[in-house]
Every structure is written in structure tokens, then in C-alpha cells.
Amino acid sequence: PKAAAGPVAHQTRTITDMMGNTVVVPQEVNRIVVTCCGGATHEVMVMGAADRIVAQPAKCIMPELKVMKPGFSSVTDAGSFDDINVEQIIALHPDVVIASVTSEKGNTKLREAGIPVVTVMTGRGNMSQMRSEFAMMGQLLGSGNQASSLNNYWETKLALVKERIAAIPANEKKRVYYMLGKTTHTNGGSWWGQEYVTAAGGINVAEELGTNRDTSLEQLVKWNPEVIIISSNEGTFIPIADVKNNAQLGSISAVKNNQLYECPIGSFWWDRPSPEAPLGIIWLAKTLYPEKFSDIDLKAETQDFYRTYYGYTLSDAEYEKFLNPQPATK
Amino acid sequence: MISIARISTTLSGVTAAVGQLTSRISAGATGMVFIYSLLPLIFICSLFFGRYEVSPQHVLQILAAPVTDLVPGNLIQIEHTWTAAEENVIYQIRLPRLVAAVLVGAGLSIAGAAYQGLFKNPLVSPDILGVASGAGFGAALAILLSWNMAMIQVSAFCFGILAVTITYLLSRFYRTTPTLILVLSGIIVAAFFTALISLTKYVADPYEKLPAITFWLMGSLASVRYSDLLMVIPFFLIATGILLLIRWRINLLAVGDDEARALGIDTKRMGQVIILCSTLITASAVCIAGIIGWVGLVVPHLGRMLVGPDYTRLLPACLLLGACYMLIIDDLARMLTNAEIPLGILTAIVGAPFFAYLLSRKSVGWI
Amino acid sequence: MISIARISTTLSGVTAAVGQLTSRISAGATGMVFIYSLLPLIFICSLFFGRYEVSPQHVLQILAAPVTDLVPGNLIQIEHTWTAAEENVIYQIRLPRLVAAVLVGAGLSIAGAAYQGLFKNPLVSPDILGVASGAGFGAALAILLSWNMAMIQVSAFCFGILAVTITYLLSRFYRTTPTLILVLSGIIVAAFFTALISLTKYVADPYEKLPAITFWLMGSLASVRYSDLLMVIPFFLIATGILLLIRWRINLLAVGDDEARALGIDTKRMGQVIILCSTLITASAVCIAGIIGWVGLVVPHLGRMLVGPDYTRLLPACLLLGACYMLIIDDLARMLTNAEIPLGILTAIVGAPFFAYLLSRKSVGWI
Amino acid sequence: MILDVNQAGFRYDSVRMIFSGISFSLGEQEVLCILGPNGIGKSTLIRCLANLYPLCAGSIRLHDRDIRSLNYRDVARVIGYVPQAHEITFPFSVREFVLMGRAPHLGLFASPGKEDRTKADEAIGLVGIQKITDKPVNEISGGEYQLAMIARALAQEPEVLLLDEPTSHLDFGNQIRVLEIIDRLARDGLSVIMSSHFPDHAFLTSNNVAIMQHGSFMAYGLAEEVVTETNLKATYGVDVSITYSHDVERHVCVPHRSGQCRCRDPKQPEYSPKMAAMVPAMR
Amino acid sequence: MILDVNQAGFRYDSVRMIFSGISFSLGEQEVLCILGPNGIGKSTLIRCLANLYPLCAGSIRLHDRDIRSLNYRDVARVIGYVPQAHEITFPFSVREFVLMGRAPHLGLFASPGKEDRTKADEAIGLVGIQKITDKPVNEISGGEYQLAMIARALAQEPEVLLLDEPTSHLDFGNQIRVLEIIDRLARDGLSVIMSSHFPDHAFLTSNNVAIMQHGSFMAYGLAEEVVTETNLKATYGVDVSITYSHDVERHVCVPHRSGQCRCRDPKQPEYSPKMAAMVPAMR
Ligand SMILES: Nc1ncnc2c1ncn2[C@@H]1O[C@H](COP(=O)(O)OP(=O)(O)OP(=O)(O)O)[C@@H](O)[C@H]1O
Ligand SMILES: Nc1ncnc2c1ncn2[C@@H]1O[C@H](COP(=O)(O)OP(=O)(O)OP(=O)(O)O)[C@@H](O)[C@H]1O
Ligand SMILES: [Mg+2]
Ligand SMILES: [Mg+2]
């Protein structure tokens, strides 16, 4: 409906976004433009507002998302981050633009055009920030229930994992290397990879890198991790066989003992912050300590989550695909 | 020496040149007339284009409204049939953007032409002394340190100036051919700052800062605001004005340092003035539009083909052609896709083949 | 014409040059001796450094083991006191990496020196014809399309060659000064492919592909494997070998096209050979180590300062100096922090001030 | 005296003095020709006189004011300088090129006006290159370029003209033509200093000749007195004959043929019929 | 005959033929001097002879084989070419520079050996620049550079030497020296073709002279027969006197002084005492 965005004084309310800005938004948010990646769309979906998205960057839509929401394939792309087409966005008459905290240049222009801009962490947040972001999104989209339900889910699941691993003595915790798209690329202590590995009861061998994300082969050999988890959410897809056959890594115990795992990719990477991150944490915990989590059926857990929060019935085949990620094709 | 009348005539560079040129028949006269009519045409046309559809009639009415409002009495009255959104699009989005395109295009072209004369080398572009890399690093650093938008621009501007200052001081160390050594120092400083940009990217948060830095550097006019324009307009006007005023003397520099001095030009001082002006222009351009290449290299050649090498005609021609070129490129950037194609990419993808084509024509002269 | 004995002598370029040089006393002789002893020294030393501590004694034992194992009978026996991890670090990680550094450093320096002669311009570097931008785009595209590591390297290599081919064909369109127009075409093609790289970055997912592309382009030897080396070693050896063989004739090109032809050189053919060899070398270097600047520009100057402009001595000197320079830069990259500093950044941050320093010494000759 | 040079000395670097202790004065209508071997400092001296390089010792006085106290513009109004021909990058037309000579008479922000244009055209007429006024300077011959540079210097309306090897690369006819122009200009009131490699040119135009050798003037004075067989032998190390030629009514300077010049060797074929057949009829 | 040129013609572009219908033969020990106005095509002809540009019409035969059927190397073994001096980028030493002349005698992958070095040193000795063998070529004077280029061409051991304005920019002494070297080389068996702007040089070295005008040879033959007052007037448009000088025992060619040469004007001050005081004692 081409509602004229005239000076009709709707009732408004205020939201505090993830940058701490106070944003005035319409009482009812019906037209949403997303100008960022990093799971913002998933959050909107969880809040049950997926149909209200009128524009989002095409390059940020994960393949599984297109299966779950076929309409996403044809939604307008009005640019992303700082490279947005302001006129296009105005022409869409959005009630709110969900944008990244990182694209201040584009966001400012939108604000000046009189469009409310709500910023999200886009993958930058830690566990607690994620939960407040969910709450904020719930408030914004009028779905407080879903938001608190999701936050509950997070708390329950994280507590469950935490409780089970608490029993493991420090020296028996698995030492994990998070291989991110390149042999020597990983996450130091200040990144989500650290939270991800620790939440699942592992020890991130690269913690000492801090804000750094690159290391050297020799350092890796020196760390001698017991488990290597491989992800391609940055860089290129690395098949397990490549790591296995890489003579350079031959002396690492994870390679010797075949403790190499590809991180699953659901509708979002399970090793990245998004509503479904707890599933990834459970997967990792179960992978590291199978005996402690033998009672948890990850498939059921996943299908349950998708039904509850995305309103989507996940088939067994789809679930299998999650666990055997293939190189993404554009 | 300098008659006030003369200054004021020349200050409005464009008008003056039109007067001078139409009054005498010269090889480039037709070329000039052609160019002069081009800019207003393209500017007006560009106002009609955009993803947000505003009917041509509304565009004209919106543009006319402030003027007719000024007319005392209700002699002329335009009925307000357009929406607030339409008015907003025209005045807040299209107009500042087009003005920025004109400033950046005209400024970079003039700076490029002046540098080509100063360095007696038609392959020189305005970032030869490292201003773009410096400004790029300034912006990258500011983004890394999470400074706000205005600070990013200020930082870009300052580091741009800093880079050129280093280049200039470095070149003072050596006692040989000043222009060659200046270009060399520029290469060194540019490479150094480029490496620093890479370093910034390397330490930048890949989720938050890296895309911001990358896209900032690619250049865009998408989010230019009046406040950005206000910040740089004084620099643009003063620097462009000075270059236009001394434009005939750039001819003399282009012939050779010794000869210019023998003709009474203080080449060192004049070199400093040109470098300062060009640097101010380029730094301003980078800070509102990111790094935009090719304009400063291609447009002067185009100008030379149309009006010849004489800077009296060349600089005004570059000003106009540069503005037109940038308007067209920016129209393309806005219209080609729903999203925005960064300007830096488009100028090179359009500019490089265009330059290759120019070269294939014999008329380039210096080849 | 070409005596087989002569070829085989020259093929082992380094050895031959040592022989020739030590036997005659020349201005550069001491320089050469100095350079020749430098490379093995630095290579051996570099084997001792790394994040994984291996005691010097163990390093020597590990290195000696395969040799002593060959000695028939148990005449010499080294006790295996080292761990498998230590052996793995030395043979699988350090050795291929050092070999890669030697190949890349030597190759880029030789290619740069050859180009400087061909273009009669001491400011030319091996990527002047666009090979680095082309290769960069090839890699970026492959990363965007999620190809695997080997395919990324192949794509980089092919696009590097493609870019130079386009440059060469483009230059054939024009009938003027061949080298100038070749450089110009190179600038155009490089700018075009750089814009394509930006475009790739623009359409790339900012979380997944953008950092990968950015970091790939910054260059690193961190994860070079024997299989990577095997892929490029033939190109390196053949191309470097050919350049070393014709090195005396590059002198003639450096003097001028007409004069070279009057001295019986088929300058066009020879230009093609040099371009082909340099392109193969640079494309190979980019595909195993990313875009590494400055080596090809700085090292030839260093070489010229040490042994003079005669390519008979200059090319072997560049080979050795380039290898040493790269080994040292890579040692720094490994040792400075517990992460890895990308090579492209380090070479520029070290190389640019170094070049500025070189220029301040009068001995550069051509300035 | 327009120009007074007193004990002038110059060095490029700290190693070697190029010249020192050079003194002379240049009067109105005087033409001074500087001779000397390659690399002795003729061009350097001329550049010092043009105020392009500052002297290291001594002084140059222009109309009794030290040249160092004047700025480029003041000097350019009195002294015109024509360097040796060189390549030029941008294709200015000959008219635009000559017009540049008006620079010292224009304000900082001014472009040349109608009057300047007239003066440039006059200068072009004076050297006789009207036919090529609209051609780009990089498409004219070396001789024409040399004349264009002289025209530019004339548009400058100087009192002194400094010419560095004005005849090099010119053909025989153009050489004479340039010398005649210099002669005419001097008659019209200009003073000229030129360098040359041809002692003979000294007889053609100059009143005074200076021979540079070992970093100073070895000889200085009237052409006939300075260009002597002894002086030339000392300067260039070759044997030269200076004789008065009644044909051309002046002294001429001709080098000796080398000891046994083969070309007059009677053993050589003198003029083969085959060759003659190929040659067009002599005019 | 070493070199036979038959109806040679050349054009750079489709617009204008630079020259056409040029025919001549060059015998052993012959020195041919090409005269002609600026821009007439002397350098172009020499480049064609050096096989740098292909002819558009006619043919050049080297030892009775068409030059087009030969590759660069074969030609370079017979013809040595000395272009007009130009700038050089890299500071090769004079010895390295001369050594380059050995290229046509070396295999593709070879560097010069001991024998080549000896030959280069001989060539250096022949032109007399032994003192500067180790200097970089971009730090020697124009005259020395010209000599080094001749030495390089000699190291090539050619049968024919092509020289383009070998005396330009050289001082008077160096001019004579270069001409004497050419003369000596011709006596030792070389054939030489050179271009020049000085008709006088023709009398000094050449047996044959060709005058280029209007795109072909206007005159061709023995120096005394071709370098006539009429021919020079037709070529250069200036009056020249050709007289036999008993002092130097050869014909000399001197330009007429222009109509009223001011320099001998009795009204001029002749030799002021003030000037005399500044001049060092005449040697
Ligand atoms: N820019 C410079 N820096 C250092 N030395 C220089 C420079 N220019 C010239 N020289 C040196 O100064 C000396 C005099 O040079 P100059 O050009 O004045 O000689 P010249 O008499 O004009 O010679 P020629 O007759 O060959 O033109 C030469 O030895 C030359 O090498
Ligand atoms: N590369 C070129 N392309 C096109 N035209 C050229 C080129 N080189 C020379 N010409 C033209 O060819 C003609 C002959 O030039 P050339 O250099 O052979 O004359 P020249 O007799 O040697 O003159 P000079 O005595 O001045 O050296 C000139 O008109 C010149 O403009
Ligand atoms: Mg000189
Ligand atoms: Mg010539």
C-alpha cells in the first residue's frame, strides 16, 4: 500500500538502540528497511515481523533463509551500510531502518531525511549485549513476548551447558583452535569465538591474541590444540581433508587424533552471534564432551527451535545439511 | 600592479573567460561555448533523476517555490501540490549531492590540470604528492578510533595536508631537479601512507571497522549533507579561485623552470601556491567524497583536446568538464542499481577505458 | 652460436657469476663477494627463528639428519633427541617458508631490474604492466566465488597473465613510442583491475568475504606449503634463468631502442621475452605471497649502488639482495608480534623510508 | 653600461669552482661572443647573468643595482634569456609561446591583453616566422623553435639578450639568418651576449669576444684582436688559419686540413661515370 | 660496392613522402657527407640505411644482399650507427658502454669475454678517450660522449659507419678532432656516411658530398664539384664564398658578411681602455 508519508502525526514512542541513541519511532512499525547483515534479519524473523521487511541487502541473505522465506529472494536491495541509496529508501516509506552501529555515515543521512534509524550490533556483540538487543528488538517490533521467550531460551540452554561442564576439571578441558577461513586465521580473546568456545566448555588456545585474529603456523604447532573447529564465516571454505592432509599441521594432536570438525551452518552460522547461537554452543559442547551430553538430541532441539522461533518446520534432510556445510555458492 | 577591476573580473573565473573568449575567435572558442552550455544542462537534468520518483513538473515547482515566495505580493503563486517528502528529496538529498559532485569534479580537474603544468608531465594526477593516501589514512584512523563523522572528515583533511607537507619537506633534503624529486617523494609518502591504511585495516575489527574503512575509501556522494558542504566550500572556492587567477602563469611553469624564472616568475613560490591550492582542493574532495581517482587525470586531457594547452582556456574548461563528468558519473552511481555503486569504482571503470580511447586519438598532442 | 658449455655455465647463474667476478678485479667485486656470503648466512640464521622454540643444536641436528642418513654404514650417527613436532616445524613450516621468501624476493627483484632496463626508467616496478592488480582481482574473484585455496592461486596467476596480455595488446593499437605507450596502457589496465577489485569487495559479504579478500591482498608467506612451491617453482626457475642468461643484453635495451637495434638486438622480441619472464615471476610471486610491493623497486637500486648498472653483475646481485631482503622482512613479520604482520604492509613500511634514505645518498647515479 | 660584472665566481658544489674572477661590462648595442671549449662554463656564466643561479663570489650589477637585490620580475624586464633548445611537453601554439614573453610586464593575476598580443606578433614578425604562428611548438623544426624562443625573448622587450649557442643544430642557412637577426637587433639598440662554438661567428656579428679557459676569461676584446691563431690554438688545441678574405670582406677563421688528408689523395677514384649518371642535373 | 641504394623512398605517415628516388653507391674507404637544410630528411635517410626504418620504396643492398632479407644482427655486423647524442638514464661506465658494441658478435646468451674487452679497449684507444674509461657516461662532456659512441661503433668492427651530425655541440677543437678520426678510419678501410650542417666539413674529410633538398639528392659528387656557391645558395638561401685558401691548402667555404655589418662600423668605440684593463695578458 503506497501510504502517503505525509505529516500525519502518528503516535510515537522512543527506543534506546544499541549505540545508546534515543530513537523516536512510530507506535506501529509496519515497514522495515534493513541496511546491515549480521543476523538482524533473523532477529526480525524471531519477532514475527519478517513480512514487514521491505528492503534488505541481497548479499546478506543466507541460503537457508531463502528456503525458509522464499519472499526474501525478491525483496528490494536498497544498499548496505554506508552505501545506501537514500532516495530509494525514502521511496519505500519505511517506519524504521535497522542499521549497523558501524555505518554512521549512512545512518546520519537517513536520520536527516527524517527516517528513524535503530542500530544493532551486527555480530559485534557479546552474550549480554545480544540479550539486550533481543529485548530492544522486541520492544521496537511490538513483540515483547517473543523477545523474552528467546532470552529465556538462551538462559536455560546456556545454564544447562554450563552446569554440565562445571564438573570437568580445568586440566581436562579440551583445548580448542577455531580455524576461521584460513589456517592461521582465528579469534583472539576479545571476540565471539572466545565466548563460543568457552561457553561450550573448551579452552580457546588463541585467547592470548586478544584483539588480534591472526597467528603463525609455528604458534599453532606450539599451542598444539586437541580439537580444531573449522568455520568459513570469514575467508574460504576449508574441507576437513585439507587440514588432515596438511603436513605442516602433522604434529598437532587434533590432527593426529582426527579431532577436526566443521562448524554447522543453520540459517545463520552457529559459531556467530544470532538468535540460534545456543544451538551452536550445544553442538560444540556435545562435540567436545560427547559422554556428558549424550542425552541431548540436537536434531530435536534444532527442529524445536526452528518451529518455536522461526515458525518453520525443519526437515531431517535440512538438518543434515546444517551439520555438513558445503562451500557457499553465490 | 593588480587592478581591483581585473581581480573582480577574473574572480568570477567562468564568466570572465566566457566574455574573453566569445569576443575573440580562436581555435578553442566553439569548444568553450559547447562546454559552457553543458554544465547547467546536465545539472538541471540530474535533478530529475533518482530512485524516488518526483514528477518533472513537481521538481520544477519545488525549485521555483522559494524564488516565487520572494516576489512581493501574491503576484506569482505556485500551488503546493507536492508532498513534503518530495520537497525533502529535492532539497535535502539531490541538491547537496549535485553541488558536491560539481565541487569535487571541478576541483579535482583543476587541481589535476595545474599539477600537470607544474610537473610538466601530463600523466600526473592531483594525488601525486600523497594527499589521497594521507587523507585515506586519516579517515581510516578516525574510523578505527570510533570518532564521529565530522571528526573523520577533519582527520582525513588534516592527514591529507600532513602527507603533502611531509612530501614537500622530504624533497627539500635533496638538491637535485626539484620536480622529479618532488614526485619521487610523493611516491614514497603515498606508499607509506597506503601501507598505514593497510595496517589500520589489519588491526581493524573486521565486523565493525573494516567494512566502514573499505567503503569509506571507495568514495561516495550518497550521504553528503549541507553541513559537509559548508565545511569544505571555503577551501574549494579560495583554492579554485586562486588557481583560476594565476592560470595564465601556469603556462610559463609548464614550459620549464629556468625559462619561467628568466621570464620573471618566482617558480618556487608559485609551485608552493599551486601545491597548496591543489592539496586543499583534493583533501576537501577526499573528505566529503572518499578517494576518487581518474577525474583529475582524464578531464585535463579532454580539456586539452577541446581547447588546447593554453591554461587561460584550459582551466575554465577543466572546471566545467570536471563538474559535468562527475555529475554524469554520480547519476550513473545512483541510477544503475537500487543500491549505490561507489564512485571510486565507477570513475575508474568508466575513466580507464575512456582514457584508453582518448589516447588512441592522435589529438592528444603530447604523445 | 650458442655453445652448450656456455649455456650450462650460465644456467647456474649465481655460480657462473661468482666465477667470472672473483677472477677479475672490478669496482663491484667486493660488493659481490659481500652479497654472495650474505644469502646463505641469512638463510641459515632465519631457520633458527620462530615462535616455536627449537634449540639451535636441535635445528642443526634436524638439518643434518637426512644427510648423515645417506652416508652408507653407520659411520656418522646423529642421535634422535628432537621431537617430531620440532622436525615438523623445521621441515614443514620454516623451510618452505624460507624457500618461498627466497623465490619471491629474488624473483621480484630480478623482474624489477629487468623492467627498469626495458623501460629505461629507474622508477618502474614489476607490476607496472598491471600484473599485480590483475592477479589481485583473480584472487578476489575466486574468494568471492568460494573456490578453494589452490583454485584461488590458479585464478590469481591466470588473471595476472591476462592483465599483462591486455596491456600488451592495448599498446599495439598505438603507433608511437612503444615503451611510453606500454607504461600508459599498464596504468590504465592496472587502474581498471583495481576498480574491479573494489567492485568485488563491494559485492562481497562484508563479514565473510571482505576480510578474506582484504587480507589476501595484503600478502603473507605464513602458510606456504611445498605443494604451493611446486606449482610455481618451474615458472620461477625458467623465467629467472632466461633473464639471467640474457642479462648482458638488457644493458643494450637500457641504452635505447634504436641504438640497441643498430647493435643487432631484435628489441621487440627481446622486450616480449622480458615482459613474459617478469610477468611469470610476478604472477607466481603474487599467487603464493599476495601483493608485495617495493621489493622490485628498492632492491635494484640497492644493487646498482653496490655493483653498478651493468646487468651482468646487477641481475645476480638483485637475485641475492632480493632474497636476503625478503628473508629479513619475513623474519620481522614472524618475530615482531605473536600474530603475523602482513608482508605487503611490512615491505612498504620498511621499504619506503629505506628508499627515501637511498635517494638522499648521491650514489644513486641516475638522479 | 647596462651590465657590469665584477670578479664573478660560481660553483655548483663544494668541490670545484666552475669560474672565478670574471669581470667585464656590456654597453648599449654591444654584442659579446663567448668562446671556449666544451664544459668550461659558458652556459653556466650565461645562466648566472640571467639571474638563474646566484654567484658565489663577485657581483653582477644591472643598471648599477646589484642583481641580487632585484626580484625575478625586475630582472626579466631588462634581460631576455634564450636557452639551448630543449623538448617541450605541451603543444602550445607558437603565438601562445611567444606571448609568454610578456609575463614580466603583467600583473600577478593578469592574462595578456590586446597590446601584449600586438607586441608578440611584432616579435614574431621581426624573426620572420609569421607563417607558423598557429603551429604547435612541438611540431616545428629545431631552427624554427630557436627563432620562436628569440621572438619570445624579444616580446619581453629586454635591453640585454642572452643567447646560449643560438646556432647549434641549425642548418647553414638558418645559422646565418639567426646571426643576421642578432646583428639587426643590436643595431636597433639591444645589447647581446651569446656563446658559440664557432670563432668565425665572432667575425660575423660581434664587436667583442671573450675566450673562456681554465675558469676565467683567457682573452677579452675586439674580435680581430682576440680571435687569433695563437689564442685558438691555446683554447682548442688545434691549428687554425685566420686570414682576411677579400671575397667576403672580413676575417675568416678556417681549420687546417689534417696532415695528409686522404680525400685529395690522387690514388682515389675521382668521379666515376656510374655515380654521375645517378645525379640530377646540377643547378 | 658495400652499400647500394636504389630509388629509395620513405614516409612516416601517409601524408608526405620524406624522400624518394635516392640512389647512390658507397665504395670502400669512401666518405660521403650529406648536406641539406633542417628537417629535410638527413637523419631519416641515415636511419633507413642503418635498417632502423624500413624503406617504403626502392631498396638498400648490403654486399649485394637486400637489407630486408637480413636480420638486425647481420646488419649490425657490417654497419655501425652513431646517432645524435642524447641523454642516458643509467650510469654505465665508458668501458661498459663501448663493450656494448660487441653485441652483434656474441651469442644470444653470452656475455663479452676477454677478446671482446681487448677490442673495446682498442676502440677506446683509437678515439683517444683512455683517460675516462671508468667514468660513468652521464658524467662526461658532450664531446667525450660523442667520441664514446664512435668508439662503440668501432668496437662493432663494421665496414660502414653512419654518423648523424657527429660534430654538433662539440667545441671547435673537438669538431676537428672528430673529423680527423673519421678521416683516419676511412684511410684504415672504413666507409663512412655522415650528415653535417657545415659545407666546410665536406672539404675536410669527404670525397663525396650529397646535398639533400626537396626530398631527394639535389647534387651528388666530389666535394669541390658539389659544394659550389650556386648549390649552397639554392640549398640554404644564403650567399657563400668558396675560395681556395693557400694557408690551409684546401677550399674553404665562408658565409658573406651581411650587407652592412655593424660590428665593423667605424662609429663604434673600438677598444676602450677600461675594457683593456680587465683583460688578462694575451697569450
Ligand atoms: N647542474 C649542474 N650541477 C653540477 N655541475 C654542473 C651542472 N651543470 C653543468 N655542470 C658542470 O659545470 C661545468 C660547466 O658546464 P657548462 O654547461 O656551463 O659548460 P659549457 O661551457 O656551456 O659547455 P658546452 O660548450 O659543452 O655547452 C661542466 O663541467 C659541467 O659538468
Ligand atoms: N618519428 C617521426 N614521425 C613523423 N615525422 C617525423 C619523425 N621524425 C622526423 N619526422 C619528420 O621528418 C622530416 C625529416 O626529419 P629528419 O630528422 O630526418 O630531418 P633532418 O634532415 O635530420 O633535420 P635536421 O637537420 O634538423 O637534423 C621532418 O619534417 C620531421 O618533422
Ligand atoms: Mg653550454
Ligand atoms: Mg637530423
Side-chain angles (χ1 to χ4, degrees), chain A residues 271-285:
Chain A
D271 52 320
R272 299 282 317 136
S274 83
E276 60 191 286
L279 296 173
I281 292 165
I282 296 170
W283 169 81
L284 182 56

Side-chain angles (χ1 to χ4, degrees), chain E:
Chain E
M1 290 295 139
I2 300 174
L3 201 66
D4 279 285
V5 180
N6 190 18
Q7 296 295 327
F10 180 81
R11 47 157 50 106
Y12 281 107
D13 43 39
S14 49
V15 185
R16 187 170 59 103
M17 207 76 179
I18 301 292
F19 57 76
S20 60
I22 286 187
S23 307
F24 68 94
S25 304
L26 188 74
E28 266 176 51
Q29 300 200 320
E30 185 179 335
V31 177
L32 171 66
C33 177
I34 302 176
L35 299 176
N38 283 129
I40 202 67
K42 302 181 292 301
S43 303
T44 310
L45 175 61
I46 289 181
R47 283 155 167 273
C48 287
L49 296 178
N51 201 23
L52 296 179
Y53 300 152
L55 287 183
C56 308
S59 67
I60 298 171
R61 300 183 74 79
L62 196 62
H63 282 308
D64 267 341
R65 291 175 61 190
D66 194 308
I67 207 165
R68 272 169 297 195
S69 69
L70 304 173
N71 61 25
Y72 288 119
R73 190 185 154 111
D74 294 338
V75 174
R77 287 175 169 199
V78 181
I79 298 183
Y81 167 64
V82 180
Q84 284 186 241
H86 68 109
E87 276 184 30
I88 186 164
T89 316
F90 296 105
F92 293 109
S93 76
V94 170
R95 179 179 279 118
E96 284 161 358
F97 186 75
V98 172
L99 209 49
M100 294 180 192
R102 299 301 301 158
H105 302 281
L106 288 177
L108 183 57
F109 295 152
S111 296
K114 194 159 187 167
E115 196 191 335
D116 300 310
R117 251 168 263 283
T118 318
K119 288 202 167 136
D121 285 343
E122 276 170 24
I124 289 174
L126 208 59
V127 300
I129 49 169
Q130 298 92 331
K131 278 196 190 149
I132 53 161
T133 34
D134 288 321
K135 272 200 163 187
V137 275
N138 48 5
E139 287 178 20
I140 60 179
S141 85
E144 289 163 340
Y145 188 66
Q146 188 77 42
L147 294 174
M149 285 204 296
I150 295 177
R152 190 181 61 186
L154 293 180
Q156 219 173 322
E157 301 188 307
E159 299 168 39
V160 180
L161 206 54
L162 305 175
L163 301 149
D164 198 358
E165 293 189 30
T167 60
S168 61
H169 284 301
L170 297 191
D171 70 35
F172 201 62
N174 281 330
Q175 289 174 25
I176 308 296
R177 239 161 267 133
V178 166
L179 291 175
E180 272 172 5
I181 288 170
I182 292 172
D183 201 48
R184 202 167 64 228
L185 292 172
R187 244 180 297 126
D188 294 349
L190 225 64
S191 308
V192 176
I193 298 180
M194 61 184 256
S195 71
S196 174
H197 284 313
F198 300 94
D200 214 36
H201 289 173
F203 294 121
L204 275 165
T205 47
S206 323
N207 358 33
N208 284 313
V209 172
I211 298 185
M212 252 182 123
Q213 180 66 297
H214 303 306
S216 83
F217 281 0
M218 184 189 89
Y220 173 80
L222 281 181
E224 281 86 355
E225 288 162 27
V226 169
V227 184
T228 61
E229 294 180 8
T230 348
N231 275 342
L232 293 185
K233 174 81 185 172
T235 312
Y236 299 117
V238 291
D239 292 315
V240 185
S241 252
I242 311 259
T243 43
Y244 189 82
S245 161
H246 291 279
D247 281 347
V248 294
E249 294 169 39
R250 62 171 175 90
H251 280 79
V252 295
C253 151
V254 288
H256 275 259
R257 50 181 284 195
S258 43
Q260 332 98 300
C261 187
R262 186 193 54 90
C263 49
R264 302 291 136 244
D265 196 330
K267 282 194 301 266
Q268 284 297 312
E270 270 298 348
Y271 190 67
S272 78
K274 185 190 164 218
M275 289 179 198
M278 290 181 197
V279 176
M282 298 255 177
R283 283 189 255 174

Side-chain angles (χ1 to χ4, degrees), chain A:
Chain A
K2 259 216 160 164
V8 192
H10 280 302
Q11 280 178 307
T12 56
R13 59 206 168 96
T14 58
I15 291 278
T16 304
D17 71 4
M18 295 311 287
M19 271 186 98
N21 293 330
T22 312
V23 187
V24 180
V25 295
Q27 198 67 42
E28 289 228 336
V29 173
N30 288 318
R31 299 179 63 79
I32 304 166
V33 166
V34 180
T35 68
C36 60
C37 309
T41 305
H42 297 77
E43 292 174 27
V44 176
M45 257 177 93
V46 171
M47 306 307 155
D51 295 327
R52 293 184 240 160
I53 295 179
V54 293
Q56 65 170 324
K59 64 185 175 190
C60 301
I61 307 173
M62 303 281 296
E64 178 63 20
L65 218 51
K66 287 184 193 157
V67 178
M68 289 159 57
K69 271 268 168 232
F72 278 176
S73 310
S74 56
V75 80
T76 312
D77 179 352
S80 58
F81 297 92
D82 287 332
D83 286 292
I84 44 169
N85 194 326
V86 180
E87 286 194 28
Q88 177 73 64
I89 293 174
I90 294 174
L92 290 167
H93 305 293
D95 294 322
V96 71
V97 171
I98 296 175
S100 169
V101 289
T102 67
S103 55
E104 253 324 272
K105 195 176 173 185
N107 300 354
T108 313
K109 186 72 190 173
L110 286 171
R111 283 185 203 114
E112 295 212 332
I115 300 171
V117 177
V118 170
T119 53
V120 292
M121 295 302 290
T122 51
R124 185 65 191 86
N126 55 30
M127 298 266 178
S128 70
Q129 281 170 323
M130 287 311 291
R131 271 173 270 176
S132 44
E133 184 170 311
F134 297 151
M136 186 270 292
M137 284 295 246
Q139 202 190 339
L140 172 69
L141 301 173
S143 325
N145 291 341
Q146 276 97 322
S148 48
S149 157
L150 181 62
N151 274 338
N152 269 339
Y153 180 83
W154 273 55
E155 250 153 56
T156 328
K157 294 301 167 188
L158 292 179
L160 170 84
V161 174
K162 198 171 180 179
E163 177 213 307
R164 300 232 179 151
I165 58 176
I168 303 169
N171 59 355
E172 280 178 26
K173 285 196 171 173
K174 292 279 174 61
R175 304 176 60 257
V176 179
Y177 179 68
Y178 180 44
M179 187 183 282
L180 196 48
K182 188 179 156 192
T183 321
T184 54
H185 196 56
T186 184
N187 272 355
S190 23
W191 303 95
W192 178 264
Q194 170 79 13
E195 302 216 23
Y196 177 55
V197 171
T198 358
I203 295 169
N204 178 16
V205 291
E207 178 174 4
E208 62 186 80
L209 291 181
T211 55
N212 266 325
R213 306 158 53 78
D214 281 283
T215 184
S216 59
L217 282 171
E218 293 193 21
Q219 186 65 59
L220 179 53
V221 171
K222 201 170 161 188
W223 283 329
N224 197 18
E226 294 160 276
V227 178
I228 294 179
I229 55 171
I230 306 161
S231 171
S232 62
N233 79 58
E234 246 179 86
T236 42
F237 182 82
I238 309 173
I240 285 180
D242 274 14
V243 180
K244 179 85 194 135
N245 299 330
N246 188 345
Q248 294 180 317
L249 309 176
S251 66
I252 295 173
S253 59
V255 177
K256 280 195 287 204
N257 303 328
N258 222 1
Q259 293 293 302
L260 309 169
Y261 304 97
E262 204 82 58
C263 291
I265 307 174
S267 72
F268 201 74
W269 288 285
W270 278 9
D271 52 320
R272 299 282 317 136
S274 83
E276 60 191 286
L279 296 173
I281 292 165
I282 296 170
W283 169 81
L284 182 56
K286 200 169 148 64
T287 305
L288 294 178
Y289 313 106
E291 67 287 357
K292 300 249 181 231
F293 294 91
S294 52
D295 59 322
I296 293 181
D297 179 357
L298 189 55
K299 181 158 96 183
E301 197 71 46
T302 308
Q303 286 171 333
D304 192 37
F305 181 90
Y306 271 65
R307 196 177 312 110
T308 316
Y309 294 102
Y310 292 144
Y312 180 73
T313 316
L314 193 71
S315 70
D316 288 3
E318 278 174 306
Y319 174 75
E320 287 309 318
K321 252 172 77 185
F322 284 8
L323 292 196
N324 295 296
Q326 295 303 314
T329 41
K330 279 269 166 193

